Amino acid sequence: MFDVFKRPAVRLEVPRLKPRRAPDQALRVNLAELTPELVPYLGQAAYIQLAIFEALARALMLAPSVGAKEALGPASGLALEKHERLVAELRRLVDDPAVVMAPFAPAIDAYAAVVRGVDWYESLTSVYLTAGILDDFFILLAAGLAGDVGPKAARIVDSATGREIIETLLADAIAEDDTLGSRLALWGRRLVGDTLLVARSAIHHSGNVRTDEQRIEPVFTELIAKHSRRMDGLGLTA
Amino acid sequence: MFDVFKRPAVRLEVPRLKPRRAPDQALRVNLAELTPELVPYLGQAAYIQLAIFEALARALMLAPSVGAKEALGPASGLALEKHERLVAELRRLVDDPAVVMAPFAPAIDAYAAVVRGVDWYESLTSVYLTAGILDDFFILLAAGLAGDVGPKAARIVDSATGREIIETLLADAIAEDDTLGSRLALWGRRLVGDTLLVARSAIHHSGNVRTDEQRIEPVFTELIAKHSRRMDGLGLTA
C-alpha cells in the first residue's frame, strides 16, 4: 500500500573518504573576496548559533521520550556555548554585542520559523541539516577575516556540536517507519534553499555581480555536497 | 483610569537580612524522616532541572529583544548543567538514568504546562518563582539522604543559577507598566499551589499522616516565606 513512498533501493554513490582539505582551501580563496567585516561576521555567526540552540532546545522539548530528551541535552549545551564564545569575541570589540546581533535577528527569526517543522521528526531533521550547512559555511567564510580572530572564530564554529546523536535518533525512527523516511527526505530537500539564502546574506558583495557569482557557486556546490552526505547518513535520498 | 490595578504603595515588610541557617537546620531535621531513597530523589531532581532548563529556553525564545535573549542564555546553560551533573550522579548508581527519570515525567510535564504562562512576562515570572521554590525544597530534602551523595546533590541544586538577571528584566518591565505588575502578582500567587504539589510528590510518607503533616507544615511555611521574598524582590505583592 505504501510502496509509492518507499525509498529507492539504490542510493546515490557518495564518495565519503575523499580528502576534504584541498577543495576547502580553494573555496576559502574564493570566499576571501566576499568576506564581511569582522564585527558583523561575529554578530551574525553568534545569532545563528543562538537560533541553533533554540532549535535544539525545541527538539528537546518535543522529544517523545525521556531518553530522547536526555540525548539532546549535550547538543543544546554545546550550541549555547558556541554562541557565548562568539559573543565573548564580540565583547572584546564592542560594548554591547546585542546591538551588533539585532540587525540579523528579523531575517534569522523568520528563517527559523520556516524551517521549524511540524513535529519532532521534522524539527530534529531540520536542526541537524540546517546547522550542518550553516556551520560549514561560516567556517569557510572565517578564512577571509582579518587578524587572529578569523581562525579563532572558525575554531569556535567548528568545535564539537554533539549533533551526531541526532543521526542515531533519526535513523532508528526512519528504520521503523518507511513513510517517515520519504516525508523527511522531502523535508530535507526543502530546507536547502532557505538555508543557502541565509548563507548568501552573510556575503559582502564586491559590486561585480558576475565575479561574485563565480566565486559563490563552487562554495554552494560544496555546501550542497556535504548536505547530501548528511542526508545519506540519515538514510534519506538527497 | 488604571488606578484599580495599581499596587498598594505600602509593601509587606519582609526581613531580608534574617539569618537563614538556624531555621533551615530545624527544617532539615523535620524532613529527614520524609526523605525518599537516593535514586528516585536524584531522578526527580534531575528531571525537574531539565524542566527548568526547558522553561528558561522557552523564555529565551519568547524574549522581545536580542538583549533579553542574551541575558537568559547563561541561566539556561546553568540549568542544563545542573541537570547533567545530577544525571552523572545517577549514572554512578544505575545503567540508564532515563529509566529512573521516566516515572516522574508525566506529572512534571503536566505541571510545566500549567505554569507555562501565556506570554514572555508570565513565562519569565514563572520560571523564576517556581524554580526558586523547587530548588529550595530539593536542597532541604537532600539533607536526609544517606551517604556522601546527599550533600553533593544539595550542592549541585544549590549551585549558581544565573537567574538574578530575571529580577532585573521583570522589575524593568513592571516599572514601565502598572497593569503588568498586578497581572504578574496574581500569576505569582497562582503558581504556589501547583509547585508545592510537586514538592509534596517527592516526599516519602511514613504511614503516620498526622506526624508527616506536622513535619511538612513548617517546611512549606518556610518555602512560602522565601517565595514571598522573591515576589517582593520583583516588586510584586505576595
Side-chain angles (χ1 to χ4, degrees), chain B residues 102-144:
Chain B
F104 300 107
I108 294 168
D109 291 351
Y111 160 74
V114 167
V115 301
R116 189 167 286 158
V118 297
D119 62 9
W120 184 63
Y121 302 103
E122 287 189 7
S123 158
L124 203 57
T125 305
S126 186
V127 67
Y128 180 65
L129 295 173
T130 61
I133 296 172
L134 292 170
D135 280 1
D136 283 348
F137 179 72
F138 276 86
I139 293 164
L140 288 174
L141 197 58

Side-chain angles (χ1 to χ4, degrees), chain A residues 80 83-84, chain B residues 56 60 69-81 160-163 165:
Chain A
L80 189 61
H83 163 73
E84 291 184 341
Chain B
L56 282 162
L60 185 150
K69 264 183 204 284
E70 202 44 33
L72 294 170
S76 306
L78 287 167
L80 188 61
E81 204 178 300
T161 64
R163 293 196 293 260
I165 189 71

Side-chain angles (χ1 to χ4, degrees), chain B residues 46-58:
Chain B
Y47 198 78
I48 285 173
Q49 291 301 326
L50 188 63
I52 293 171
F53 163 69
E54 293 182 29
L56 282 162
R58 189 168 170 274

